[in-house]
Amino acid sequence: MKLKEYGAKVEKSVENQQISEEAVLDLLFNQVEKPKNYVKIKVTNVFGDNFRINIWSNIEEDGLTKCKITHSYFAKVIDNVLTIKA
């Protein structure tokens, strides 16, 4: 899988080299629907096998198009299984 398939910018800040940010995104999007109008996704290895995943999307608000974090997940990956904590 390539990042281009998601159509958004993905920032790399994953410290755990056992699992890539693309793999984390694959596991996430197997469980939740991919948001519409998303612009950017950032996958951060917080500690150990725990990741913060933030998704920015364009939204209409007060007659303006704004880019905001619309989805944020704290998740743990063990043996290629992603468990969403919050």
Side-chain angles (χ1 to χ4, degrees):
M1 180 205 77
K2 297 186 181 191
L3 297 178
K4 293 178 185 176
E5 291 176 23
Y6 289 116
K9 179 181 173 187
V10 176
E11 291 185 9
K12 183 176 181 180
S13 57
V14 176
E15 295 172 5
N16 182 345
Q17 296 304 316
Q18 294 179 349
I19 187 162
S20 68
E21 68 273 9
E22 292 94 350
V24 172
L25 289 176
D26 272 344
L27 294 170
L28 176 70
F29 291 142
N30 284 334
Q31 293 183 37
V32 299
E33 185 177 338
K34 205 180 312 183
K36 295 178 182 171
N37 300 323
Y38 68 97
V39 175
K40 175 180 165 182
I41 302 171
K42 184 174 181 182
V43 178
T44 304
N45 183 301
V46 183
F47 60 92
D49 295 319
N50 296 282
F51 296 88
R52 170 62 61 190
I53 306 162
N54 289 323
I55 302 173
W56 284 260
S57 300
N58 284 331
I59 61 168
E60 291 291 326
E61 192 174 87
D62 301 327
L64 300 170
T65 301
K66 299 178 181 182
C67 185
K68 290 186 170 186
I69 294 176
T70 54
H71 299 79
S72 185
Y73 303 96
F74 182 70
K76 185 171 188 134
V77 178
I78 298 178
D79 297 328
N80 287 325
V81 175
L82 181 121
T83 304
I84 298 171
K85 302 286 185 177

